[in-house]
DNA sequence: AAGTGGTCTAGACCACCCT
DNA sequence: GGGTGGTCTAGACCACTTT
């Protein structure tokens, strides 16, 4: 039995026991946070209920004020409670608008794995038209690099990427590198490109004939359209482009609220 | 002279950054966090750079260790830095996999506004088939409620929702309420339903003929498919269903890294 | 051994809410 | 006025990394 599980046990008689194990690997504030979360999960504390005040928790668990606060803050960040100054801390009802979808799944396709290949379809240096110039904050007619790439999972096309880059004469283009580097720059942001910030939008579109053909799906299929603008350290747009992800290969997931069996989370306190 | 006033003495000849204003509304840790973020945004601190150590910050800004840590933690949560015990704190390169999409936009459609209407298409109590039973963790043949609803923005259909609910004989069905209540339950989670947790997936699909017709779009249009399972306080599935959101009406956005002009955020310390 | 992040305590003051 | 969350300090110990 781990410390965490012990801490989560409802104590008969008294509603809670002194449960913090100072020898455990998990810090005290996490043990308390997880103990409280366990009470939320198992229904001892239900949505709308008021948590014990911080002073009560402090006394009960023999912790300092600050440590109790950290525990409460942890639950706050997990979206499980809300706090109201002068009133108390309350269990939050799961709210669909708290759902958060991350793009980790995408990264797995990008960070050059064994399966993934990048297929460079086109590289061109061209003068920016009105639209591109506006997005990249350059003058119409200035040079820009236009890329078209296909991301492949083995032999299956996954995503079709088009991108405009501000042309930097000091960094000559190496076609071979473009297949990989610039892409990794977006997803790893390391070194060279030194991207400073970015903005993304994601929406759902129907593929045009040519797009569908590239992605080996039926024309009219649904796809995620992920548009991105990345900015350099001077806060100037450096890249504007968009991915079309095959809808049948990408799926994002999220969870809300507190499920029953809380995973160890801080992990690795099974020893002893 | 109180401790506070003494501590508020300005730093003479500070080479770097604004000092902490103890009279400001914004707490010290936030001021420090924002000051550091400003340095990241304006390029004084670039991706990969090491931040001043906490000891240095502590001395420089005349703050306690704990307060400095809170500031660093704030940046950590904002995804702007990474910390490495024994080595230091480093400015993080923006990483697309940090991008996070929230469903706030959806909520605006749901929380009964003036524009939004719910159009109940069908309510039925039916015995659960194999598939429904498995999702709701009931026995095949047990009763379930099947709902079909259309979410309207004025006269425009936005989303088509189908849902199976576990049938609870103790709570008779009131058709009028179903148009609204059960839906709000999902999005506000307040009171009655007392939903405990949920899981969501979002993907991109192509609408079938009947679906497209309901949503007033061309057959084959792209749409977001948002599937949900909600669980009650006993951790039993209470609801399984899915929304089809018109792709042309929904768009999610996210940002990465630190943009230039950081908003005041805690705001209102310009007075005095 | 020195530097650095991570945790914790005991005590304090403040702003806010409720009665 | 008493309870509650929010902030802050000074000092301490630990674990990890680097020299």
């Amino acid at each position: 039995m781990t410390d965490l599980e012990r801490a989560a046990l409802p104590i008969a008689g008294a509603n809670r026991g002194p449960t913090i194990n100072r020898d455990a690997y998990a810090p005290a504030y996490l043990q308390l946070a997880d103990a409280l979360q366990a009470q939320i999960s198992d229904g001892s504390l239900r949505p709308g209920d008021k948590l014990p005040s911080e002073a009560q928790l402090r006394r009960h668990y023999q912790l300092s004020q600050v440590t109790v606060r950290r525990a409460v803050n942890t639950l706050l960040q997990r979206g499980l409670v809300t706090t109201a100054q002068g009133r108390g801390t309350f269990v939050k009802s799961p709210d669909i608008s708290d759902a958060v979808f991350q793009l980790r799944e995408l990264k797995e396709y990008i960070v050059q794995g064994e399966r993934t290949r990048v297929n460079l379809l086109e590289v061109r240096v061209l003068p920016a038209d009105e639209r591109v110039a506006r997005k990249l904050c350059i003058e119409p007619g200035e040079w820009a690099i236009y890329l078209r790439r296909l991301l492949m999972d083995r032999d299956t096309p996954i995503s079709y990427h088009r991108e405009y880059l501000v042309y930097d004469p000091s960094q000559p283009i190496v076609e071979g590198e473009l297949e990989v580097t610039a892409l990794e720059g977006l997803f790893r942001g390391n070194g060279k490109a030194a991207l400073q910030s970015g903005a993304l939008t994601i929406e759902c579109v129907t593929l045009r004939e040519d797009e569908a053909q590239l992605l080996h799906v039926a024309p009219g299929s649904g796809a995620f359209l992920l548009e991105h603008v990345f900015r350099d350290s001077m806060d100037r747009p450096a890249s504007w482009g968009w991915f079309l992800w095959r809808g049948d290969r990408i799926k994002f997931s999220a969870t809300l609220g507190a499920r029953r069996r809380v995973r160890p989370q801080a992990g690795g306190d099974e020893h002893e």
Side-chain angles (χ1 to χ4, degrees), chain A:
Chain A
M1 179 188 263
T2 68
D3 299 298
L4 253 155
E5 285 164 342
R6 193 156 35 237
L9 282 181
I11 308 298
N15 27 3
R16 284 160 225 99
T19 59
I20 305 298
N21 178 353
R22 313 313 278 256
D23 298 327
Y25 181 73
Y29 79 92
L30 252 187
Q31 290 183 52
L32 175 52
D34 288 339
L36 291 170
Q37 174 164 350
Q39 290 181 31
I40 295 173
S41 298
D42 72 16
S44 340
L45 288 170
R46 319 193 62 201
D49 285 356
K50 185 172 169 304
L51 262 64
S53 78
E54 295 179 359
Q56 287 172 328
L57 291 172
R58 194 181 105 268
R59 285 193 296 272
H60 193 284
Y61 289 95
Q62 300 286 299
L63 294 170
S64 78
Q65 168 89 269
V66 174
T67 302
V68 170
R69 292 238 67 227
R70 287 190 67 182
V72 173
N73 263 317
T74 301
L75 296 181
L76 205 57
Q77 286 164 32
R78 292 182 190 169
L80 298 179
V81 302
T82 58
T83 58
Q85 190 171 105
R87 296 204 297 124
T89 303
F90 302 87
V91 179
K92 195 174 173 184
S93 306
D95 186 327
I96 213 173
S97 64
D98 287 335
V100 151
F101 294 93
Q102 295 174 309
L103 297 188
R104 293 217 193 87
E105 290 91 338
L106 288 194
K107 191 176 184 180
E108 289 162 19
Y109 280 113
I110 302 299
V111 175
Q112 218 62 4
E114 302 186 358
R115 306 158 52 106
T116 313
R117 296 280 177 273
V118 178
N119 193 347
L120 187 60
L121 302 178
E122 183 182 358
V123 177
R124 220 162 64 205
V125 177
L126 42 68
D129 64 19
E130 183 73 31
R131 191 188 51 151
V132 171
R134 198 168 52 243
K135 286 285 187 179
L136 293 180
C137 288
I138 59 179
E139 291 300 316
E142 288 192 66
W143 295 108
I145 303 170
Y146 178 58
L147 291 178
R148 295 198 307 125
R149 287 178 285 204
L150 209 49
L151 272 64
M152 313 282 292
D153 179 17
R154 295 191 194 280
D155 296 330
T156 309
I158 299 290
S159 179
Y160 174 37
H161 185 216
R162 279 163 286 183
E163 183 182 24
Y164 291 93
L165 296 165
V166 173
Y167 177 60
D168 179 358
S170 69
Q171 291 198 346
I173 308 169
V174 181
E175 291 207 10
E177 281 194 8
L178 281 176
E179 290 187 6
V180 178
T181 314
L183 244 189
E184 286 205 324
L186 300 187
F187 286 80
R188 273 218 270 257
N190 57 357
K192 293 193 181 183
L195 298 171
Q196 175 72 15
S197 64
L200 306 171
T201 64
I202 194 166
E203 53 192 311
C204 204
V205 299
T206 307
L207 294 178
R208 294 198 317 249
E209 185 104 20
D210 57 326
E211 299 163 338
Q213 199 168 348
L214 280 168
L215 290 173
H216 290 189
V217 294
S221 296
F224 282 113
L225 172 63
L226 182 70
E227 183 181 352
H228 62 83
V229 175
F230 288 99
R231 295 165 182 275
D232 63 15
S233 59
M234 301 300 289
D235 204 46
R236 289 175 310 211
S239 150
W240 169 52
W242 53 100
F243 292 87
L244 281 170
W245 294 86
R246 272 177 61 166
D248 58 345
R249 299 292 298 255
I250 294 288
K251 190 173 185 173
F252 302 101
S253 53
T255 58
L256 293 175
R259 277 299 300 279
R260 273 278 172 167
R261 288 298 274 162
V262 182
R263 81 281 124 180
Q265 212 251 348
D269 36 333
E270 299 79 5
H271 45 63
E272 86 172 3

